[in-house]
Amino acid sequence: MANPLVVGELARAEPGAVVVAPEWPVGPERLGPVALSRIEVYAPGARIVAITGTGEVEVVRSTRRYFLGESLDDPDARIMVWLDPETGDLGGVVITEEGEFELAEVAPGGMSPRYAL
């Protein structure tokens, strides 16, 4: 389960900030400490456009925040997390020697969402 306090830190993190989560999903039914670094996926001044039958239409940028991470227990594990601070939607991927795992909400709609790999 993703700790709500850590999720709050992720929502407030500025690009370049590192958030350490002491218990984060790092494998099926396994939690461990991770360091998540916020990255900016848009270049300064970048525009997103859709080409339509009537020309270019600017598309609003996603409000998601993206993080690259590493397990503090397993240097070979690779982690990518995204969070939409407006909706609270959280997702991601963990790649380890065991395989690739997607972080997904397993108890949607509850007061305290639960996530698992």
Side-chain angles (χ1 to χ4, degrees):
M1 178 167 122
N3 182 319
L5 295 175
V6 172
V7 172
E9 285 185 58
L10 294 175
R12 292 185 299 277
E14 296 295 327
V18 176
V19 175
V20 175
E23 292 187 334
W24 190 265
V26 292
E29 301 181 31
R30 189 166 49 110
L31 300 175
V34 301
L36 302 169
S37 302
R38 174 143 179 232
I39 60 169
E40 185 57 64
V41 296
Y42 299 108
R47 293 178 50 233
I48 303 171
V49 295
I51 307 302
T52 69
T54 58
E56 285 187 0
V57 176
E58 189 154 356
V59 177
V60 177
R61 291 181 181 195
S62 169
T63 58
R64 285 182 176 175
R65 298 189 175 189
Y66 294 89
F67 299 82
L68 293 179
E70 57 185 25
S71 166
L72 301 179
D73 288 341
D74 179 359
D76 294 326
R78 298 292 173 252
I79 302 166
M80 193 284 294
V81 173
W82 58 262
L83 171 71
D84 186 328
E86 293 181 5
T87 65
D89 289 340
L90 176 72
V93 176
V94 175
I95 302 171
T96 69
E97 289 182 358
E98 297 173 77
E100 297 180 20
F101 307 98
E102 180 179 355
L103 180 67
E105 190 171 2
V106 293
M111 298 233 349
S112 178
R114 297 182 61 96
Y115 295 87
L117 288 177

Short mmCIF file of all heavy atoms in Angstrom, two decimals, residues 9-20 35-42 64-69:
data_model
loop_
_atom_site.label_atom_id
_atom_site.label_comp_id
_atom_site.label_asym_id
_atom_site.label_seq_id
_atom_site.Cartn_x
_atom_site.Cartn_y
_atom_site.Cartn_z
N GLU A 9 3.76 13.97 -0.12
CA GLU A 9 5.08 14.53 -0.43
C GLU A 9 5.31 14.53 -1.93
O GLU A 9 5.86 15.49 -2.49
CB GLU A 9 6.19 13.72 0.25
CG GLU A 9 6.31 13.97 1.74
CD GLU A 9 7.52 13.22 2.29
OE1 GLU A 9 8.64 13.47 1.81
OE2 GLU A 9 7.31 12.38 3.19
N LEU A 10 4.91 13.46 -2.61
CA LEU A 10 5.07 13.39 -4.07
C LEU A 10 4.26 14.50 -4.74
O LEU A 10 4.72 15.13 -5.69
CB LEU A 10 4.63 12.02 -4.60
CG LEU A 10 5.46 10.82 -4.17
CD1 LEU A 10 4.82 9.52 -4.68
CD2 LEU A 10 6.89 10.93 -4.65
N ALA A 11 3.06 14.75 -4.25
CA ALA A 11 2.21 15.78 -4.84
C ALA A 11 2.83 17.17 -4.72
O ALA A 11 2.63 18.02 -5.58
CB ALA A 11 0.82 15.75 -4.20
N ARG A 12 3.59 17.39 -3.67
CA ARG A 12 4.20 18.71 -3.43
C ARG A 12 5.61 18.84 -4.00
O ARG A 12 6.17 19.94 -4.02
CB ARG A 12 4.24 19.00 -1.93
CG ARG A 12 2.87 19.19 -1.30
CD ARG A 12 2.96 19.59 0.16
NE ARG A 12 3.64 18.59 1.00
CZ ARG A 12 3.06 17.53 1.52
NH1 ARG A 12 1.78 17.29 1.29
NH2 ARG A 12 3.74 16.68 2.28
N ALA A 13 6.20 17.74 -4.44
CA ALA A 13 7.60 17.74 -4.87
C ALA A 13 7.80 18.58 -6.13
O ALA A 13 7.02 18.49 -7.08
CB ALA A 13 8.08 16.32 -5.13
N GLU A 14 8.83 19.38 -6.12
CA GLU A 14 9.23 20.18 -7.28
C GLU A 14 10.20 19.36 -8.14
O GLU A 14 10.82 18.43 -7.63
CB GLU A 14 9.90 21.48 -6.82
CG GLU A 14 8.99 22.42 -6.04
CD GLU A 14 7.84 22.96 -6.86
OE1 GLU A 14 8.03 23.17 -8.08
OE2 GLU A 14 6.75 23.16 -6.30
N PRO A 15 10.35 19.70 -9.42
CA PRO A 15 11.32 18.98 -10.25
C PRO A 15 12.70 18.96 -9.60
O PRO A 15 13.17 19.97 -9.07
CB PRO A 15 11.33 19.77 -11.56
CG PRO A 15 9.95 20.38 -11.62
CD PRO A 15 9.62 20.72 -10.18
N GLY A 16 13.33 17.80 -9.58
CA GLY A 16 14.64 17.63 -8.97
C GLY A 16 14.59 17.17 -7.53
O GLY A 16 15.59 16.68 -6.99
N ALA A 17 13.43 17.29 -6.89
CA ALA A 17 13.29 16.87 -5.49
C ALA A 17 13.33 15.35 -5.40
O ALA A 17 12.91 14.65 -6.31
CB ALA A 17 11.99 17.39 -4.89
N VAL A 18 13.85 14.85 -4.27
CA VAL A 18 13.89 13.41 -4.01
C VAL A 18 13.01 13.13 -2.79
O VAL A 18 13.14 13.77 -1.76
CB VAL A 18 15.33 12.93 -3.75
CG1 VAL A 18 15.34 11.44 -3.38
CG2 VAL A 18 16.22 13.19 -4.95
N VAL A 19 12.11 12.17 -2.96
CA VAL A 19 11.25 11.74 -1.86
C VAL A 19 11.65 10.31 -1.50
O VAL A 19 11.69 9.43 -2.36
CB VAL A 19 9.76 11.78 -2.27
CG1 VAL A 19 8.88 11.22 -1.17
CG2 VAL A 19 9.35 13.21 -2.63
N VAL A 20 11.98 10.10 -0.23
CA VAL A 20 12.33 8.75 0.24
C VAL A 20 11.08 8.14 0.88
O VAL A 20 10.49 8.74 1.78
CB VAL A 20 13.50 8.78 1.24
CG1 VAL A 20 13.77 7.40 1.80
CG2 VAL A 20 14.75 9.34 0.56
N ALA A 35 13.94 5.59 -3.19
CA ALA A 35 14.15 7.02 -3.38
C ALA A 35 13.55 7.37 -4.74
O ALA A 35 13.91 6.77 -5.76
CB ALA A 35 15.64 7.36 -3.35
N LEU A 36 12.61 8.31 -4.75
CA LEU A 36 11.91 8.72 -5.96
C LEU A 36 12.29 10.16 -6.30
O LEU A 36 12.08 11.06 -5.48
CB LEU A 36 10.40 8.61 -5.78
CG LEU A 36 9.88 7.21 -5.40
CD1 LEU A 36 8.42 7.27 -4.97
CD2 LEU A 36 10.06 6.25 -6.56
N SER A 37 12.84 10.37 -7.49
CA SER A 37 13.29 11.70 -7.93
C SER A 37 12.30 12.25 -8.94
O SER A 37 12.04 11.61 -9.97
CB SER A 37 14.67 11.62 -8.58
OG SER A 37 15.60 11.07 -7.69
N ARG A 38 11.78 13.43 -8.67
CA ARG A 38 10.82 14.04 -9.62
C ARG A 38 11.57 14.52 -10.85
O ARG A 38 12.60 15.18 -10.76
CB ARG A 38 10.08 15.20 -8.97
CG ARG A 38 9.21 15.90 -10.01
CD ARG A 38 7.92 16.40 -9.56
NE ARG A 38 7.27 17.05 -10.69
CZ ARG A 38 6.77 18.25 -10.68
NH1 ARG A 38 6.82 18.97 -9.56
NH2 ARG A 38 6.21 18.75 -11.75
N ILE A 39 11.04 14.17 -12.01
CA ILE A 39 11.60 14.61 -13.27
C ILE A 39 10.57 15.44 -14.02
O ILE A 39 9.36 15.30 -13.80
CB ILE A 39 12.06 13.43 -14.16
CG1 ILE A 39 10.88 12.52 -14.49
CG2 ILE A 39 13.19 12.66 -13.49
CD1 ILE A 39 11.19 11.50 -15.57
N GLU A 40 11.05 16.31 -14.86
CA GLU A 40 10.17 17.11 -15.71
C GLU A 40 10.18 16.46 -17.08
O GLU A 40 11.25 16.24 -17.65
CB GLU A 40 10.66 18.56 -15.79
CG GLU A 40 9.75 19.48 -16.55
CD GLU A 40 8.33 19.52 -16.01
OE1 GLU A 40 8.13 19.95 -14.85
OE2 GLU A 40 7.42 19.10 -16.74
N VAL A 41 9.02 16.11 -17.60
CA VAL A 41 8.97 15.43 -18.90
C VAL A 41 8.78 16.39 -20.07
O VAL A 41 8.91 15.97 -21.22
CB VAL A 41 7.88 14.33 -18.93
CG1 VAL A 41 8.20 13.24 -17.92
CG2 VAL A 41 6.51 14.91 -18.69
N TYR A 42 8.48 17.65 -19.78
CA TYR A 42 8.31 18.63 -20.84
C TYR A 42 9.52 19.56 -20.88
O TYR A 42 9.96 20.05 -19.85
CB TYR A 42 7.06 19.49 -20.61
CG TYR A 42 5.78 18.68 -20.60
CD1 TYR A 42 5.09 18.45 -19.42
CD2 TYR A 42 5.26 18.15 -21.78
CE1 TYR A 42 3.91 17.72 -19.41
CE2 TYR A 42 4.08 17.42 -21.78
CZ TYR A 42 3.41 17.21 -20.59
OH TYR A 42 2.24 16.48 -20.58
N ARG A 64 -0.01 15.35 -14.48
CA ARG A 64 0.75 14.30 -13.79
C ARG A 64 2.16 14.76 -13.44
O ARG A 64 2.78 15.52 -14.18
CB ARG A 64 0.86 13.05 -14.66
CG ARG A 64 -0.38 12.25 -14.73
CD ARG A 64 -0.15 11.01 -15.57
NE ARG A 64 -1.33 10.17 -15.58
CZ ARG A 64 -1.43 9.07 -16.30
NH1 ARG A 64 -0.42 8.69 -17.07
NH2 ARG A 64 -2.52 8.36 -16.26
N ARG A 65 2.65 14.23 -12.33
CA ARG A 65 4.04 14.42 -11.93
C ARG A 65 4.73 13.06 -12.07
O ARG A 65 4.15 12.05 -11.70
CB ARG A 65 4.12 14.93 -10.51
CG ARG A 65 3.44 16.28 -10.43
CD ARG A 65 3.62 16.97 -9.16
NE ARG A 65 3.01 18.29 -9.30
CZ ARG A 65 3.14 19.23 -8.43
NH1 ARG A 65 3.86 19.03 -7.35
NH2 ARG A 65 2.56 20.38 -8.61
N TYR A 66 5.93 13.08 -12.60
CA TYR A 66 6.65 11.84 -12.89
C TYR A 66 7.90 11.71 -12.02
O TYR A 66 8.58 12.71 -11.77
CB TYR A 66 7.03 11.77 -14.37
CG TYR A 66 5.82 11.69 -15.27
CD1 TYR A 66 5.20 12.84 -15.74
CD2 TYR A 66 5.29 10.46 -15.63
CE1 TYR A 66 4.08 12.77 -16.56
CE2 TYR A 66 4.17 10.37 -16.44
CZ TYR A 66 3.58 11.53 -16.90
OH TYR A 66 2.46 11.44 -17.70
N PHE A 67 8.18 10.47 -11.63
CA PHE A 67 9.31 10.19 -10.75
C PHE A 67 10.05 8.96 -11.25
O PHE A 67 9.43 7.97 -11.66
CB PHE A 67 8.82 9.91 -9.32
CG PHE A 67 8.09 11.06 -8.71
CD1 PHE A 67 6.74 11.27 -8.98
CD2 PHE A 67 8.75 11.94 -7.86
CE1 PHE A 67 6.06 12.34 -8.42
CE2 PHE A 67 8.07 13.02 -7.30
CZ PHE A 67 6.73 13.22 -7.58
N LEU A 68 11.37 9.03 -11.23
CA LEU A 68 12.21 7.86 -11.46
C LEU A 68 12.77 7.47 -10.12
O LEU A 68 13.13 8.34 -9.31
CB LEU A 68 13.34 8.18 -12.44
CG LEU A 68 12.91 8.48 -13.87
CD1 LEU A 68 14.13 8.80 -14.72
CD2 LEU A 68 12.11 7.33 -14.47
N GLY A 69 12.85 6.18 -9.86
CA GLY A 69 13.29 5.78 -8.53
C GLY A 69 14.19 4.57 -8.54
O GLY A 69 14.39 3.91 -9.56
#
